[in-house]
Amino acid sequence: MTAIKINNNQSLAHQDNREALKMFNQKGILTVGQAGDDSFLKMNNTAPMITTPNINANLGVLNYIDPKAVEILTATMTADMIAKPQKIGYWGLNSYTFNVKEHMGIVSPDDGTANDTKRSTTNVSQVLRGCKAFAGYWGNNDLARSQYSQMKIDLQAEDVKSLMQALNINRNMVFFNGVAETFNTPLPVYGLINDPKLPSYKVVENNGIDDNNQPTTSWKYKNPNQISNDVCVAAFGDLNTKSGGLVNTGFANRRGKLKLAVSNNALVYLNQMQNIGYSWVSARKLIEDNLPGIEIIACPELDGINNNSDVFYLIYEEEAYGDTLANLYVEMARAYPIFTQHSEISQKISQLIAGCVVKVPMFITRWTGIKDDTNTQNKQSYFN
């Protein structure tokens, strides 16, 4: 974490806190002034959060600048492990246009003429998506602050941390789920679970044997080799076929990397050990041996999302083709002026986020059937 100096006895507008303000602004945590403003004085003069009532308030009171609260706000979530957060646009943005691309390269025998030469193309489509704002506030009074201070607890600081944590959790949730109320609008906010550009689910092989001696797709009844084949043979093979061999070539030459995002419920079956021959092995070990460098990410957000069945995603990334997935935000948190009324103080903090965008669909494959559990909450109904 970058070390910065903060003078709690001076205001946010004071020169002593210039570097802190700049750093938070660059991270999209606190934005002041208008887009493109580089002048510190101009930012001070136009900053909506630095109003006359607050200009002389010291940073010990304006706890939203507390570095510990910022750490909580920017703590790595499951979404950030799948796709690095990217800041876009400016506060007030309600839509965002991005490119979805597929390379359609093809060659043919060369007889010295151009008559039969095949044309290589790139299919690029522009997609318009929306941004969604969320907000919360903290507030307390002097009596409560005094009571907690006796226990050596800074109530105001803890309230801010709690709100920052809620904003971070919400950003993670929107990355996976999108915002349901926007799905049928001209500017939807989709997530990793429901982006229209995602490929359809495929079902893993029905080669397990359940307690009733019946074939099943569930990983609970499969051995490590069978589970490994679902990932390394079926899923990886599907990625390679869809990409025309790009995935295998790129991965074999260490130009790209793979991420396996798997339902948390099903993770236990990846780690389950089984004696094969003279050694104990797990599906995780076999997968990591067959696909060196693969990153396995446990995702509680994927539990039971496909008609009560758990799922896994295999995702390929290569720098030459840009981001496979985009994890977008305009601002993680925008702090508004401290409001004082009688002995109570409060503050609103907002965020503006854009969910998940699938930018290279051919580098994603989705599989279901790995754990059937009728007791799992059916999250799919949330999106219908």
Side-chain angles (χ1 to χ4, degrees):
M1 186 181 74
T2 303
I4 57 173
K5 292 183 178 180
I6 293 177
N7 187 344
N8 283 321
N9 295 317
Q10 299 294 342
S11 72
L12 182 60
H14 196 274
Q15 288 289 114
D16 286 358
N17 294 308
R18 178 174 182 170
E19 292 305 315
L21 179 59
K22 280 188 175 181
M23 189 194 78
F24 292 135
N25 183 43
Q26 289 169 359
K27 284 181 172 288
I29 296 165
L30 296 171
T31 292
V32 298
Q34 301 173 359
D37 286 352
D38 295 322
S39 167
F40 184 71
L41 291 177
K42 188 174 182 182
M43 284 195 295
N44 286 346
N45 292 333
T46 61
M49 72 192 72
I50 307 175
T51 58
T52 301
N54 281 336
I55 196 69
N56 294 318
N58 63 58
L59 283 179
V61 174
L62 302 181
N63 270 308
Y64 57 74
I65 202 79
D66 186 342
K68 291 184 178 178
V70 174
E71 287 180 23
I72 293 172
L73 175 70
T74 59
T76 300
M77 303 294 284
T78 310
D80 306 330
M81 298 170 69
I82 296 175
K84 184 179 179 181
Q86 299 177 35
K87 178 173 170 57
I88 59 171
Y90 54 89
W91 184 257
L93 186 72
N94 65 0
S95 66
Y96 176 65
T97 302
F98 65 94
N99 296 324
V100 175
K101 59 186 179 182
E102 298 275 7
H103 291 92
M104 308 296 292
I106 188 171
V107 298
S108 60
D110 185 3
D111 60 2
T113 70
N115 294 338
D116 298 320
T117 303
K118 305 295 184 182
R119 179 185 177 186
S120 291
T121 63
T122 300
N123 286 345
V124 178
S125 59
Q126 286 198 322
V127 178
L128 182 66
R129 293 286 171 81
C131 303
K132 181 68 175 178
F134 297 87
Y137 82 96
W138 61 265
N140 50 58
N141 57 45
D142 60 347
L143 179 59
R145 292 194 298 275
S146 176
Q147 291 172 338
Y148 276 88
S149 68
Q150 300 303 313
M151 297 181 282
K152 299 187 183 303
I153 295 175
D154 186 339
L155 178 60
Q156 189 167 316
E158 296 304 319
D159 284 348
V160 174
K161 292 174 186 176
S162 177
L163 180 51
M164 292 297 196
Q165 183 180 56
L167 290 170
N168 201 20
I169 291 172
N170 182 70
R171 182 176 62 84
N172 184 76
M173 182 185 72
V174 171
F175 172 85
F176 281 96
N177 298 343
V179 182
E181 66 190 66
T182 71
F183 288 176
N184 296 319
T185 68
L187 302 174
V189 178
Y190 289 113
L192 182 62
I193 291 172
N194 43 53
D195 191 302
K197 295 292 182 179
L198 285 166
S200 300
Y201 283 109
K202 294 179 178 291
V203 181
V204 296
E205 190 172 353
N206 191 30
N207 58 354
I209 302 297
D210 66 16
D211 295 333
N212 297 317
N213 206 33
Q214 297 296 313
T216 179
T217 61
S218 175
W219 280 2
K220 179 179 179 180
Y221 300 101
K222 291 188 177 186
N223 62 45
N225 278 323
Q226 292 170 325
I227 296 174
S228 174
N229 285 341
D230 285 343
V231 176
C232 301
V233 178
F236 184 79
D238 184 54
L239 278 183
N240 200 45
T241 299
K242 292 196 302 180
S243 66
L246 292 175
V247 170
N248 184 61
T249 303
F251 188 71
N253 289 281
R254 300 182 180 179
R255 296 196 302 266
K257 65 180 297 185
L258 288 165
K259 292 184 179 182
L260 176 63
V262 61
S263 299
N264 196 58
N265 285 337
L267 186 69
V268 61
Y269 304 116
L270 287 182
N271 299 325
Q272 192 168 274
M273 304 293 290
Q274 184 173 342
N275 193 325
I276 297 179
Y278 296 98
S279 62
W280 289 86
V281 298
S282 66
R284 176 189 285 269
K285 179 69 165 60
L286 294 175
I287 292 170
E288 291 174 342
D289 287 347
N290 284 302
L291 302 173
I294 188 172
E295 183 179 356
I296 299 176
I297 305 168
C299 301
E301 298 85 358
L302 297 182
D303 289 347
I305 64 167
N306 185 45
N307 295 321
N308 288 335
S309 180
D310 294 338
V311 304
F312 73 82
Y313 287 47
L314 188 62
I315 303 164
Y316 178 71
E317 297 175 342
E318 186 173 333
E319 186 176 353
Y321 303 103
D323 296 321
T324 300
L325 295 168
N327 178 5
L328 305 175
Y329 70 94
V330 178
E331 289 187 29
M332 291 188 185
R334 181 181 182 84
Y336 288 86
I338 299 287
F339 180 75
T340 303
Q341 184 176 23
H342 305 302
S343 65
E344 295 183 342
I345 58 173
S346 62
Q347 181 187 35
K348 172 187 170 182
I349 301 181
S350 301
Q351 68 178 182
L352 187 59
I353 49 184
C356 173
V357 172
V358 176
K359 302 184 76 172
V360 190
M362 68 178 177
F363 286 162
I364 302 173
T365 184
R366 303 194 295 171
W367 294 74
T368 188
I370 61 176
K371 182 175 181 288
D372 294 313
D373 185 356
T374 56
N375 292 321
T376 301
Q377 180 183 2
N378 185 357
K379 297 183 182 180
Q380 189 70 27
S381 61
Y382 177 76
F383 312 109
N384 293 336

